[in-house]
Amino acid sequence: MQLPPTVTSRAFKRLAEIGASSSGKALRISVEGGGCSGFQYSIELDVPESDDLVLEGDGEKVVVDNISLPFLSGATIDFTKELIGARFTIDNPNATSSCGCGTSFSI
């Protein structure tokens, strides 16, 4: 069974801080072939499409296209601040391995 991804309140709060919705954009999470482990995440601000899954919170939106959705089933989208910097992260239960940077994974 396919579960939708979830988005933490920290991620929605960061989107509000950068003003994503005020510019008519949402955080787009997609999965593409490539990277050092077979698949890689693409994370960008983009205009939502009519067939996207839309996850909403705090007046902000995170969107996932239908092709990427099975790869992100049950995943958690978060925003973290670490010594090396701040970034959106994806905790994906479907990934069997991932690279050190966290943007590439295999299933």
Side-chain angles (χ1 to χ4, degrees):
M1 180 171 75
Q2 190 168 255
L3 299 170
T6 58
V7 182
T8 67
S9 59
R10 272 192 308 253
F12 282 127
K13 181 180 176 185
R14 179 62 182 146
L15 286 171
E17 289 170 354
I18 61 177
S21 66
S22 63
S23 66
K25 295 189 176 181
L27 184 70
R28 178 172 298 282
I29 307 292
S30 59
V31 174
E32 302 170 349
C36 54
S37 296
F39 295 99
Q40 61 188 3
Y41 299 112
S42 174
I43 302 172
E44 63 184 335
L45 290 179
D46 194 14
V47 177
E49 300 289 334
S50 62
D51 60 343
D52 286 335
L53 170 70
V54 179
L55 306 164
E56 296 186 68
D58 296 331
E60 299 296 328
K61 295 178 182 177
V62 173
V63 296
V64 179
D65 64 85
N66 288 329
I67 294 171
S68 300
L69 197 52
F71 296 101
L72 295 167
S73 177
T76 301
I77 300 158
D78 197 5
F79 182 78
T80 60
K81 291 182 180 180
E82 301 169 350
L83 288 175
I84 60 171
R87 64 187 177 125
F88 288 98
T89 60
I90 300 169
D91 179 17
N92 190 343
N94 305 300
T96 56
S97 65
S98 63
C99 67
C101 67
T103 62
S104 180
F105 67 100
S106 62
I107 293 183

